Amino acid sequence: MKPVFAFLALIPLAAGCLDGSSAADKRLADMHVIDWHAHVAGLGYGGSGAFINEQMRNNFRFPFFLKWMGATDKELATEGDQIIIRRLSEAVSQSNYVDQVVVLAMDGVVDPATGALDRELTQLYVPNEYVARETAKYPNLLFGGSINPNRKNSIELLEQAAAQGAVLVKWIPSIMAIDPADASFIPFYRKMAELGLPLLSHTGMEKSFAHACDDLSDPLKLTLPLRHGVTVIAAHLAATGQSEGRDNFERLLPMFAAHPNLYADISSLTQINRLGYLVKALKVPGLTERLLYGTDWPLQFFPLVSPWFHVQQIGLATVRQVAGIDNPWDRDVALKRAMGIPPSVFSRVVGTAALRHAEAAILKCHNRRPEECGHRVPTAPRKTLADRLP
């Protein structure tokens, strides 16, 4: 990043906080917008079963992550890990654009020989049961499951997650020690396809954890699940890093033509470590038809993200307007719209499970007051989500 942009990012704005309505396309207000990519964590308080290993707990990143999730160590100890999910729901309920957020569980490193969770090597663990239970309390939250297929009962766990309302399965192969190209996972993939559960898998270099085996996040490794009918969402569009000497983003692009069941999310593409990738993606003909909206919450705050990093693309006046938006989801939507992401990306739905659960939430909320519903109730009629299911 050029020094001038680092300086500009620190300039205080004289304007007060905006509601975001003037900084993003007003058409979004009448669309059902889902953030497909939001993380939570926990320390085991309140019976969550979540944990962070010692290496990650002592890493310099951890205090920032906890702060951005809106909680302190003391609050977790007194109110339980559940406070993070509750505050996430509260923040989403204040958004003018985002209706629902997929909250991601996170399985850990599993010994292929025994099928047992390796607590020492697992940097972050957030159990399915905990996320399913907590998200069920809030209509504006959806459950994203996570199952390491090295578990001996992985197919049973997959069926259980689907029954609990999971709308997808989330992997970070590089920290979960999963090789998506492992042929022993084929039965798991076939069951995923049968259940209509997409695979949201991290692609590209991983820099949010203490360490990662980045070769496992080579996008080409996702060819196997794609061939077996799984709808795959390549998280972060494979921005950053190389595999076999070639840019991961460039390795991913030809896969879209070969696999109609391949999508990617735009989460984290405005972060400082991924500058330029969103601009490049928008120049690829037809690519926006395969993109979904995501934030990578809680990684939405300075110094990771700032509209000032994109002043060359969106101009000074828009930068100031976006920077003045208080709600992090509205700010993210406004920035990505300003950069040229079309409205269709924000309203796209993949996977029959996501369609079913999102529609159910809409039906529940249409006849209830917003404060009872947990997310904004539109004043204008919406098209059904089925109209936007590929």
Side-chain angles (χ1 to χ4, degrees):
M1 183 179 65
K2 295 181 180 179
V4 64
F5 295 139
F7 170 75
L8 285 171
L10 299 175
I11 298 176
L13 295 177
C17 292
L18 306 176
D19 65 4
S21 60
S22 58
D25 196 313
K26 293 183 182 297
R27 286 175 290 176
L28 293 178
D30 292 327
M31 293 181 173
H32 189 87
V33 177
I34 298 175
D35 174 358
W36 289 83
H37 199 137
H39 291 279
V40 293
L43 300 176
Y45 295 118
S48 71
F51 68 83
I52 295 171
N53 73 355
E54 184 177 357
Q55 186 180 24
M56 190 63 191
R57 182 72 186 270
N58 294 330
N59 189 273
F60 75 93
R61 298 170 178 85
F62 177 70
F64 290 100
F65 293 165
L66 196 58
K67 177 183 178 182
W68 294 336
M69 281 188 257
T72 65
D73 278 305
K74 183 178 179 180
E75 287 176 320
L76 294 181
T78 57
E79 300 189 46
D81 293 344
Q82 294 80 2
I83 190 175
I84 289 177
I85 294 181
R86 186 179 81 233
R87 288 183 174 169
L88 191 162
S89 174
E90 290 170 351
V92 175
S93 72
Q94 301 302 312
S95 171
N96 289 301
Y97 298 111
V98 176
D99 297 274
Q100 292 181 300
V101 171
V102 180
V103 180
L104 303 170
M106 188 60 60
D107 205 351
V109 176
V110 173
D111 185 339
T114 65
L117 179 69
D118 189 323
R119 295 181 65 92
E120 184 176 346
L121 293 180
T122 296
Q123 298 181 66
L124 170 66
Y125 180 72
V126 186
N128 284 332
E129 293 77 8
Y130 165 61
V131 177
R133 182 176 65 248
E134 293 305 310
T135 54
K137 298 176 181 178
Y138 308 101
N140 60 0
L141 302 182
L142 297 169
F143 165 40
S146 184
I147 300 153
N148 190 319
N150 285 309
R151 289 185 180 272
K152 300 301 183 184
N153 63 339
S154 62
I155 292 180
E156 178 185 340
L157 292 173
L158 188 59
E159 293 174 325
Q160 180 179 321
Q164 291 172 320
V167 299
L168 54 76
V169 171
K170 167 63 176 174
W171 288 354
I172 304 181
S174 54
I175 69 160
M176 296 171 69
I178 297 172
D179 183 353
D182 188 333
S184 69
F185 299 158
I186 290 175
F188 185 85
Y189 293 145
R190 288 175 175 166
K191 178 58 68 172
M192 285 190 69
E194 177 189 326
L195 294 170
L197 287 174
L199 173 63
L200 173 63
S201 187
H202 179 97
T203 53
M205 191 164 52
E206 174 56 72
K207 288 297 184 182
S208 296
F209 292 87
H211 61 83
C213 184
D214 285 329
D215 65 316
L216 294 175
S217 291
D218 177 355
L220 284 180
K221 286 184 173 290
L222 295 172
T223 301
L224 185 63
L226 286 164
R227 286 177 177 169
H228 287 276
V230 179
T231 295
V232 173
I233 306 167
H236 319 305
L237 200 56
T240 72
Q242 294 185 342
S243 297
E244 298 181 347
R246 189 181 178 200
D247 187 276
N248 284 315
F249 175 76
E250 299 297 334
R251 285 169 73 82
L252 176 65
L253 289 181
M255 295 176 65
F256 288 100
H259 303 285
N261 49 330
L262 174 62
Y263 295 83
D265 77 20
I266 58 171
S267 65
S268 81
L269 292 188
T270 55
Q271 288 180 7
I272 191 170
N273 59 315
R274 292 183 169 94
L275 295 181
Y277 280 98
L278 194 55
V279 174
K280 288 197 292 184
L282 288 169
K283 294 178 181 178
V284 179
L287 184 57
T288 58
E289 296 173 11
R290 309 288 280 278
L291 300 181
L292 293 93
Y293 175 63
T295 59
D296 205 19
W297 190 89
L299 306 183
Q300 294 172 260
F301 299 94
F302 184 81
L304 284 180
V305 177
S306 170
W308 290 99
F309 300 159
H310 308 279
V311 67
Q312 287 183 314
Q313 285 78 43
I314 65 176
L316 183 60
T318 302
V319 164
R320 290 178 62 87
Q321 186 180 31
V322 173
I325 298 171
D326 187 47
N327 184 274
W329 277 272
D330 288 349
R331 188 168 59 246
D332 187 76
V333 168
L335 176 57
K336 288 170 178 171
R337 278 295 293 128
M339 294 187 71
I341 295 296
S344 59
V345 171
F346 297 91
S347 63
R348 184 161 289 122
V349 177
V350 296
T352 54
L355 172 68
R356 185 170 59 251
H357 292 290
E359 286 281 22
I362 292 172
L363 290 173
K364 274 185 181 179
C365 292
H366 265 304
N367 296 320
R368 300 168 68 180
R369 295 191 301 272
E371 61 269 21
E372 295 175 321
C373 180
H375 76 280
R376 64 187 183 90
V377 178
T379 57
R382 294 175 184 268
K383 293 174 67 177
T384 64
L385 290 178
D387 294 332
R388 293 190 289 275
L389 185 66

